Amino acid sequence: MQNYWLLKDDLKDLFESFPAATYEEQFSQVSIRIPNTELEKVFDYLKDHKKFPMDMLTDVTVVDYLTSDYAEKPNVTGREEDLYSDNRFDVVYHFYSMKTNKRLRLITNCGGEQPELQSSYKWWTAANYMEREIFDMFGIKFKGHPDLRRILLYEEFEGFPLRKDYPTMGEQPRITLRNPEQNNGTS
Amino acid sequence: MAQADFPAKYKVEEVKKRKELLELPIASPHDKPIKVNIGPSHPAMHGTIKMVAELVGETIVNIDVEPGFLHRGFEKMMENHNYVTSLPYTDRLNYVSGFINNFGYVGTMEKMFGIEITERCAWLRTLFAELSRITDHYTCQAAICSELGAMTPFLYFMQARDYLWEHFNWATGARQTYSYARIGGLARDVSDDWLKKCKDILLSNIPLLKDIHGMLDKNRIFLDRLHGVGVISEEEAINAGITGPFLRSTGSNYDVRKAMPYLKYNELDWEVPTGKYGDNYDRYYVRMREIEESFKICMQCFERIPEGPINSDDYQAHLPDKEEVYNSIEGIINHFKIIIEGPRVPKGSIYNAVEGANGELGFFLVSDGSGSAYRLHVRAPSFLIMGTLDKIIIGHQLADIIPIFGTVNMVGGECDR
């Protein structure tokens, strides 16, 4: 069967340019893990890669590892060390190279009290809605995003529902009527 | 025919000129933009979405697209249900082509388990996926027609679609939300009669499609609304993550079925129709051509569906036959374990993409080895299309929103999850 993912041999120059990158293979799909400090350089590098230019950003999403075995202290919720750990969130990017029909998954860590990350909007406009959704669902802020606000939920929503510490049966406070004059009758 | 023909003069230049006009300074206080709310529930809108447009005269200078009215926390629900009981939720993603979502979802788990589905199952899944793509395109085209005031083609499309939906009812017990797939197989087999009747229905649809082509393709009113309206270049579309018929209308030939073949698509003879200009008319025509290609695939499927079992005998994920459940202790334990605890999908993460009716439908699944997903993310094609819609609409007139929004085809259930 043909492999549609970039394998280790194809990625030699990536590991030379970014010695901090690590390689992982699961179900014959490849993930590259990179510290979030180098994210900007990696985007530059992937967008203008000589052999495999990643022209499409297929997907951006986040996995919250708060309650999993992968976490530093597994299955413990609400402990401050875990809640504000730097490795709490994995931000997962899926790239696709249209010309060579190859895919690549890039994973970076994110966390802390005010999780913040470099936006990829400058490189791929596809990030516009996907990063807004992440902000909406996980509360991760993106530096350099042109219009970061809630997208699927309403502005008065409290908390971030896809985080693992958000209660499944949680209730939201009632919201007051919005003043139509204030926002020019838009919402 | 790989590319759509253009019977009338193309109006891209005009649109560009209009965009240049927008950059002129606003001269009089009367030109101050006014805000207009469109949607979320509007007879001419294609789905539940709200747009706040800023108008100067009738030209749109700024627009804010607000999805989210059908948000029901799909991804959170998937974390709290096991893999088997969460299957019906996937029907409700793109509710006009539920089969494709079903097969994409179970295919993700099959890849992780390493389950090989049987030949008959793979062929039937290919057939159902294509039938479902046909109904989805019918619905989209019908909506465009009705929104533009063309009631006859709308009714023709609906008639054709309902024949198929009623026929799905026979096979699965539901017109729209089928829950037909199972991990490693299908819910139930279809009879030869069903396949024969299905073929008849598709053949009976062909004259309807011919009539529709005759009514719309060179219809002056229809062309005026579609030609040169809502243009996007191939490069922009790729950069914006747009896939499916929308991307193919700009000239790219990216199709998941060809790029990374799944099921039986690499064994079939069909082609990827592409457009040229990426405007409304191209999107309309690419969908019409895709319906024809899907017909072609279905006809080949009828010829080639083999006899045999539909379920794999790998019982780590698939429910055992009822005979075994009632007659053996292993069977009943197996059944109980799968229903209550859910199949234990191996640890790790996987991304599985299928070609949905609107584009690449991806499932990113992180499993921690238990019976329910640790995280399941759906890469919804409509959602990314909505992210670029404002750029396409700006510079057009208020009335152009309707055909543009119709042809890009947004399905609320999938976009908002």
Side-chain angles (χ1 to χ4, degrees):
Chain A
M1 213 181 92
Q2 203 194 332
N3 202 316
Y4 303 106
W5 294 74
L6 284 180
L7 296 177
K8 202 166 192 177
D9 297 343
D10 307 320
L11 292 164
K12 267 178 198 155
D13 47 341
L14 191 145
F15 291 107
E16 277 162 22
S17 322
F18 304 97
T22 53
Y23 176 90
E24 205 182 331
E25 203 179 317
Q26 271 174 344
F27 307 106
S28 60
Q29 298 190 350
V30 173
S31 322
I32 309 290
R33 192 176 278 276
I34 226 139
N36 57 18
T37 44
E38 291 190 67
L39 211 54
E40 232 166 309
K41 279 184 231 159
V42 175
F43 288 154
D44 270 336
Y45 175 84
L46 286 176
K47 183 92 200 265
D48 306 316
H49 195 284
K50 278 180 210 100
K51 220 167 145 197
F52 306 104
M54 294 295 166
D55 39 14
M56 188 192 272
L57 175 61
T58 323
D59 190 27
V60 188
T61 189
V62 173
V63 186
D64 179 1
Y65 282 119
L66 184 67
T67 58
S68 97
D69 301 349
Y70 302 89
E72 286 156 32
K73 296 178 192 66
N75 301 321
V76 182
T77 38
R79 279 174 67 162
E80 288 204 358
E81 303 95 290
D82 263 353
L83 276 174
Y84 304 124
S85 146
D86 281 342
N87 296 319
R88 178 175 170 184
F89 300 110
D90 266 4
V91 183
V92 186
Y93 298 83
H94 284 92
F95 294 105
Y96 178 63
S97 169
M98 198 65 91
K99 279 176 206 149
T100 53
N101 192 14
K102 289 279 183 190
R103 282 165 195 269
L104 179 70
R105 183 185 301 146
L106 184 79
I107 303 178
T108 188
N109 65 312
C110 185
E113 280 187 47
Q114 298 279 329
E116 199 175 29
L117 210 62
Q118 173 64 40
S119 165
S120 53
Y121 182 79
K122 214 169 90 188
W123 292 268
W124 297 276
T125 51
N128 180 7
Y129 265 30
M130 293 192 284
E131 285 179 351
R132 269 179 77 183
E133 192 200 347
I134 291 172
F135 170 70
D136 196 353
M137 298 293 164
F138 291 94
I140 295 175
K141 282 189 179 148
F142 287 91
K143 271 179 281 179
H145 191 286
D147 183 23
L148 199 64
R149 48 199 169 104
R150 284 196 182 266
I151 181 165
L152 294 177
L153 300 169
Y154 48 95
E155 267 160 46
E156 292 87 349
F157 195 93
E158 283 181 9
F160 303 103
L162 277 182
R163 284 187 179 185
K164 288 283 177 185
D165 53 350
Y166 185 86
T168 324
M169 305 290 276
E171 270 182 33
Q172 286 291 319
R174 287 175 69 100
I175 54 169
T176 48
L177 265 177
R178 292 172 187 164
N179 182 6
E181 293 295 317
Q182 207 171 3
N183 45 22
N184 211 357
T186 55
S187 353
Chain B
M1 194 177 77
Q3 282 182 340
D5 294 328
F6 291 91
K9 205 185 149 226
Y10 194 58
K11 296 197 292 188
V12 174
E13 293 306 316
E14 257 177 56
V15 173
K16 274 185 192 156
K17 255 184 235 161
R18 234 184 280 154
K19 282 202 178 172
E20 277 161 25
L21 280 178
L22 284 184
E23 279 152 25
L24 295 173
I26 294 168
S28 75
H30 301 294
D31 290 347
K32 195 173 163 264
I34 55 157
K35 280 189 177 176
V36 175
N37 257 321
I38 307 156
S41 185
H42 188 277
M45 291 296 265
H46 201 101
T48 326
I49 199 166
K50 188 172 118 183
M51 290 181 191
V52 184
E54 282 175 47
L55 304 174
V56 172
E58 259 198 72
T59 314
I60 298 155
V61 290
N62 197 8
I63 191 159
D64 181 22
V65 183
E66 283 184 29
F69 289 89
L70 279 185
H71 180 66
R72 53 213 185 275
F74 173 80
E75 287 170 13
K76 192 75 175 176
M77 286 195 283
M78 297 305 259
E79 286 170 18
N80 294 297
H81 289 72
N82 74 39
Y83 291 107
V84 175
T85 51
S86 54
L87 178 76
Y89 289 117
T90 60
D91 287 324
R92 278 103 181 139
L93 283 173
N94 185 342
Y95 37 76
V96 255
S97 53
F99 285 122
I100 303 177
N101 309 324
N102 276 182
F103 301 150
Y105 173 66
V106 294
T108 315
M109 267 98 68
E110 278 158 11
K111 266 192 184 169
M112 287 180 114
F113 275 122
I115 296 175
E116 288 262 326
I117 52 172
T118 61
E119 278 288 296
R120 185 173 170 83
C121 173
W123 279 105
L124 278 176
R125 278 189 191 183
T126 318
L127 171 70
F128 275 113
E130 286 316 304
L131 287 173
S132 162
R133 194 182 316 283
I134 293 172
T135 57
D136 192 288
H137 286 348
Y138 277 168
T139 315
C140 170
Q141 308 286 56
I144 300 168
C145 297
S146 88
E147 284 154 10
L148 295 179
M151 281 312 281
T152 316
F154 164 74
L155 290 171
Y156 280 12
F157 273 126
M158 283 295 161
Q159 187 191 352
R161 186 191 78 174
D162 258 48
Y163 280 146
L164 280 171
W165 274 6
E166 284 298 326
H167 203 55
F168 293 159
N169 196 2
W170 183 3
T172 67
R175 277 160 52 88
Q176 253 184 304
T177 47
Y178 317 104
S179 305
Y180 187 53
R182 296 287 181 269
I183 305 169
L186 293 170
R188 56 185 81 83
D189 205 347
V190 293
S191 63
D192 289 344
D193 283 352
W194 190 90
L195 291 171
K196 207 170 144 279
K197 182 84 195 297
C198 188
K199 199 175 174 180
D200 290 347
I201 289 173
L202 287 185
L203 290 175
S204 76
N205 279 0
I206 290 172
L208 280 177
L209 281 176
K210 266 189 190 161
D211 283 352
I212 291 164
H213 269 297
M215 272 187 283
L216 295 179
D217 282 6
K218 295 183 184 178
N219 182 326
R220 190 57 213 259
I221 305 165
F222 195 64
L223 288 178
D224 279 351
R225 301 298 300 275
L226 298 193
H227 257 262
V229 180
V231 182
I232 189 166
S233 73
E234 183 183 350
E235 221 168 284
E236 270 179 294
I238 291 173
N239 197 266
I242 291 169
T243 46
F246 191 171
L247 177 63
R248 291 193 283 278
S249 75
T250 63
S252 166
N253 65 349
Y254 173 63
D255 188 320
V256 184
R257 292 173 288 170
K258 281 272 193 226
M260 31 195 308
Y262 54 98
L263 295 177
K264 290 289 172 191
Y265 287 111
N266 52 350
E267 294 179 29
L268 292 159
D269 172 34
W270 61 285
E271 55 189 41
V272 181
T274 56
K276 220 176 191 175
Y277 303 106
D279 65 345
N280 278 344
Y281 189 77
D282 274 20
R283 290 194 278 275
Y284 156 77
Y285 213 93
V286 163
R287 282 214 174 79
M288 289 305 272
R289 285 279 296 115
E290 265 186 33
I291 292 172
E292 284 167 30
E293 291 304 319
S294 294
F295 267 59
K296 236 161 97 182
I297 295 176
C298 290
M299 290 305 163
Q300 290 172 55
C301 285
F302 292 130
E303 303 283 309
R304 296 179 64 175
I305 291 172
E307 290 292 319
I310 50 162
N311 294 329
S312 74
D313 42 17
D314 194 330
Y315 283 142
Q316 56 184 332
H318 192 270
L319 287 177
D321 295 333
K322 280 286 172 287
E323 203 181 354
E324 272 182 64
V325 177
Y326 294 127
N327 291 319
S328 73
I329 187 74
E330 294 84 3
I332 200 165
I333 289 172
N334 199 341
H335 185 97
F336 182 79
K337 280 273 192 189
I338 287 176
I339 294 290
I340 302 297
E341 288 176 2
R344 293 183 176 268
V345 173
K347 245 185 197 180
S349 53
I350 197 167
Y351 178 79
N352 180 36
V354 293
E355 179 74 20
N358 289 330
E360 178 178 330
L361 178 73
F363 288 88
F364 177 63
L365 175 65
V366 180
S367 163
D368 57 354
S370 71
S372 54
Y374 187 73
R375 169 103 173 93
L376 183 93
H377 173 71
V378 179
R379 187 245 186 233
S382 310
F383 190 62
L384 281 130
I385 292 173
M386 287 304 111
T388 327
L389 193 62
D390 50 349
K391 283 187 198 121
I392 305 171
I393 289 179
I394 289 174
H396 286 291
Q397 306 234 309
L398 182 65
D400 288 332
I401 291 181
I402 307 303
I404 293 174
F405 192 62
T407 50
V408 302
N409 192 19
M410 169 261 194
V411 177
E414 175 188 76
C415 177
D416 303 341
R417 279 156 293 155

